[in-house]
Amino acid sequence: MNPTEPTTEAPVVSPDDLFGLVRETIADVLGTSPDVIVESTDLRTEYGIDSLEMMSIGAQLERALNVRIKAEDLMRAETVGQAVAFLAERRAGRS
């Protein structure tokens, strides 16, 4: 394989690393500290997140995880923990 060619395989990310990546991505888009993003955080209630911000989060996670993510799928998650669970399933090919 040519090292300059993009890989089609998803990078290996542990569940803790996945949560950390999601937390960092959300904090980056919302302009807040990752430390305030926990599994029970409800982005709609606590941050008033809109679909444009969710699309930005989804796009960043798509690139980082090499999986297809629809913003509306992420919007169905009520908490960050549920979004992480969705992403874990998506990466495993079950969604």
Side-chain angles (χ1 to χ4, degrees):
M1 175 185 352
N2 183 340
T4 60
E5 291 178 12
T7 180
T8 57
E9 294 180 22
V12 176
V13 179
S14 75
D16 287 340
D17 290 342
L18 180 58
F19 174 69
L21 174 65
V22 170
R23 189 165 83 160
E24 291 281 337
T25 302
I26 291 169
D28 179 55
V29 170
L30 297 180
T32 190
S33 168
D35 297 333
V36 299
I37 307 295
V38 296
E39 287 188 32
S40 62
T41 299
D42 181 331
L43 296 175
R44 285 181 293 267
T45 301
E46 296 175 44
Y47 291 93
I49 195 167
D50 61 30
S51 58
L52 192 58
E53 291 167 321
M54 190 58 77
M55 287 187 332
S56 179
I57 291 167
Q60 287 186 37
L61 291 171
E62 275 186 338
R63 285 190 298 275
L65 299 171
N66 199 28
V67 295
R68 180 80 177 111
I69 304 167
K70 296 180 183 176
E72 54 268 15
D73 288 341
L74 284 180
M75 291 294 284
R76 286 189 199 118
E78 293 181 18
T79 65
V80 172
Q82 289 174 351
V84 170
F86 160 75
L87 291 169
E89 289 176 2
R90 185 77 174 145
R91 293 188 71 239
R94 294 187 302 250
S95 173

